[in-house]
Amino acid sequence: MVDAGIVERVRALRPLIRENALRAERERRVPDEVVEALTGTGIHRMNVPRRYGGHQTPLRTQVDAFAEIAAECASTAWMTLSQAGVSYIAALFPDEAQDEFFTGPGGPDVRIGGTLIPGATAVPYGGGYRVSGTSAFATGCHHADWHLLTTAVAAADGQLPPGPPEIRWAAVPMAELEILDDWHVTGLAGSGSNTVVARDVFVPAHRMLAVGPMLAGRFPSKANADDPFYRMPVLLLFCAWSAPVALGLARAAVAEFTERIHRRGITYTFHERQNEATVTHLQVAEAEMRVGGAELHLARLTAEIEAKARDDLPYTPLERARIRAESGYVTRICREGRRPARRRERSLLPSPGGAHATHHPRHPRAVSALLRQPHHQHGDLRPRAVRHGPGYSLPVMA
């Protein structure tokens, strides 16, 4: 399978994704047939090294592919981007670990989950570590082959040292982990983001990755050390990967509203079709402008991340803050871009107070769930970006 045409292959699956979207919400996980169909497009290969049969797909293409999925189901898009993104992190592990990830039963289509929520402890033991603890919000864990648990490294006696602990990712086969039945939410309910538990699991040293150095651009993979593709900062990548979920939702809402205005009237008026009313044209234009603005912001931040990696250029604190702020702003204006459709065509979306069983995957709560992600909290990030103006120098973790 080649990388060319991956967006078109994903687009061809939109009817299948849409058909199973409500089912994903009810079952609190993406249906197996949707996962397998998406895997068949090569979407999980986008960040896998080429030497294993991966694609190392351009970031802009990845963004476009995730937006296509989100147009039909936000939960499915969130699960897919999470696993495709964690494969990028897996490519930063020691090369011996990569051989295990990408040449196993799943090959380059392997599905790897992970979170950056410290909930487990790693105790040195026999050339590796004994890992115990939890990993909350393990998106897509029901369909994952591997999971990266965020661990705090303890001493040999199991005690954590004084002060901030060393944080490492521990790569563990999903067969060695337990999945808790604790994913009961309204936003992104179909993403299957349950908690997973490790109970005294042995992890060899080569399947551990120090988080701090990795976030600073230092990682142990020798094969990928000089590849510009793997110079892109992980946290900024997740900003770029997750923003198109909101964009896909907004595009779909506007397109559906624009189609329906030719078939429905406006209650308590003489308009037999909504498209006959001037206010409808103004509202559609407003929505289109906001969605278009989101597209421009997303294109700009994506281009900057790719250019910095290609040219091996460092980021200033202001540049990091701006990319994170723009990512949150994209999500916010996409939510606003959907408001005209929500005001004028209530049948597109169920009532916010509706029963859980009737929540449509395009529900505003999906966008609200995105806005709660740390890298999408535009309201918190914008002041940080402003403070980095002339005369100020504040550190930014990105």
Side-chain angles (χ1 to χ4, degrees), residues 25 135 195 219 315:
E25 299 288 299
S135 182
T195 298
F219 52 86
Y315 288 83

Side-chain angles (χ1 to χ4, degrees), residues 96 123 131 143 158 175 188 239 268 276 280 307 312 317 320 374 377:
E96 184 179 356
V123 179
V131 174
H143 300 100
L188 301 176
C239 291
Y268 304 123
E276 298 171 355
T280 301
D312 197 16
R320 288 179 178 270
Q377 291 176 4

Side-chain angles (χ1 to χ4, degrees), residues 188-200:
L188 301 176
S191 63
S193 301
N194 303 59
T195 298
V196 300
V197 182
R199 304 186 191 278
D200 198 29

Side-chain angles (χ1 to χ4, degrees), residues 201-224:
V201 175
F202 177 72
V203 180
H206 68 269
R207 282 204 257 120
M208 301 288 289
L209 178 67
V211 174
M214 185 276 297
L215 294 178
R218 302 186 303 274
F219 52 86
S221 172
K222 292 182 173 58
N224 298 330

Side-chain angles (χ1 to χ4, degrees), residues 285-323:
E286 177 187 356
E288 291 280 6
M289 291 299 99
R290 286 180 173 169
V291 172
E295 292 172 339
L296 290 173
H297 279 287
L298 187 53
R300 198 214 65 78
L301 72 89
T302 300
E304 180 171 4
I305 293 172
E306 290 190 302
K308 290 277 192 183
R310 181 188 64 243
D311 300 332
D312 197 16
L313 296 175
Y315 288 83
T316 66
L318 176 60
E319 288 170 336
R320 288 179 178 270
R322 188 185 64 246
I323 288 173

Side-chain angles (χ1 to χ4, degrees), residues 20-373:
N20 286 277
L22 287 173
R23 178 184 164 194
E25 299 288 299
R26 290 194 300 266
E27 297 181 359
R28 296 176 290 127
R29 54 186 285 185
V30 179
D32 295 349
E33 53 267 42
V34 175
V35 174
E36 293 302 325
L38 283 168
T39 301
T41 67
I43 201 164
H44 292 290
R45 300 188 184 199
M46 293 195 300
N47 291 306
V48 174
R50 291 193 182 97
R51 69 183 183 278
Y52 295 112
H55 297 324
Q56 296 184 216
T57 303
L59 181 57
R60 181 53 195 264
T61 303
Q62 296 188 40
V63 164
D64 290 343
F66 296 141
E68 290 291 332
I69 301 171
E72 304 301 345
C73 179
S75 293
T76 302
W78 189 254
M79 187 205 73
T80 306
L81 75 88
S82 296
Q83 293 183 339
V86 174
S87 287
Y88 186 96
I89 298 172
L92 308 179
F93 271 71
D95 298 334
E96 184 179 356
Q98 293 181 55
D99 290 342
E100 292 187 59
F101 301 148
F102 303 126
T103 64
D109 293 309
V110 64
R111 296 188 287 265
I112 308 174
T115 62
L116 191 53
I117 303 174
T121 302
V123 179
Y125 177 86
Y129 297 84
R130 289 285 186 183
V131 174
S132 296
T134 62
S135 182
F137 303 102
T139 299
C141 55
H142 299 91
H143 300 100
D145 302 300
W146 294 81
H147 185 79
L148 307 187
L149 289 95
T150 307
T151 67
V153 179
D157 61 2
Q159 298 299 311
L160 290 173
E166 179 186 3
I167 302 299
R168 294 188 182 186
W169 267 309
V172 181
M174 275 302 304
E176 299 179 19
L177 301 173
E178 175 188 353
I179 300 176
L180 301 183
D181 185 14
D182 64 350
W183 186 242
H184 302 278
V185 298
T186 53
L188 301 176
S191 63
S193 301
N194 303 59
T195 298
V196 300
V197 182
R199 304 186 191 278
D200 198 29
V201 175
F202 177 72
V203 180
H206 68 269
R207 282 204 257 120
M208 301 288 289
L209 178 67
V211 174
M214 185 276 297
L215 294 178
R218 302 186 303 274
F219 52 86
S221 172
K222 292 182 173 58
N224 298 330
D226 297 323
D227 191 330
F229 185 82
Y230 294 106
R231 292 179 189 149
M232 295 183 284
V234 168
L235 293 185
L236 297 187
L237 280 174
F238 273 97
C239 291
W241 286 327
S242 53
V245 178
L247 179 60
L249 287 168
R251 284 173 174 169
V254 173
E256 196 164 339
F257 173 62
T258 304
E259 188 274 330
R260 290 197 179 193
I261 61 177
H262 298 275
R263 296 187 283 109
R264 296 181 62 100
I266 302 178
T267 307
Y268 304 123
T269 73
F270 295 105
H271 295 296
E272 296 182 358
R273 297 289 184 272
Q274 292 177 348
N275 66 301
E276 298 171 355
T278 302
V279 66
T280 301
H281 293 261
L282 294 174
Q283 290 175 330
V284 170
E286 177 187 356
E288 291 280 6
M289 291 299 99
R290 286 180 173 169
V291 172
E295 292 172 339
L296 290 173
H297 279 287
L298 187 53
R300 198 214 65 78
L301 72 89
T302 300
E304 180 171 4
I305 293 172
E306 290 190 302
K308 290 277 192 183
R310 181 188 64 243
D311 300 332
D312 197 16
L313 296 175
Y315 288 83
T316 66
L318 176 60
E319 288 170 336
R320 288 179 178 270
R322 188 185 64 246
I323 288 173
R324 294 186 65 185
E326 277 190 303
S327 173
Y329 190 65
V330 165
T331 303
R332 196 188 84 178
I333 61 177
C334 283
R335 179 181 63 177
E336 294 172 349
R338 300 170 72 242
R339 284 176 179 167
R342 288 168 56 196
R343 289 196 300 264
R344 299 288 293 139
E345 182 57 270
R346 294 294 182 180
S347 65
L348 285 182
L349 298 167
S351 166
H356 183 277
T358 64
H359 284 167
H360 193 283
R362 294 196 191 114
H363 198 284
R365 288 177 181 170
V367 181
S368 297
L370 293 173
L371 285 168
R372 293 190 185 98
Q373 300 297 318

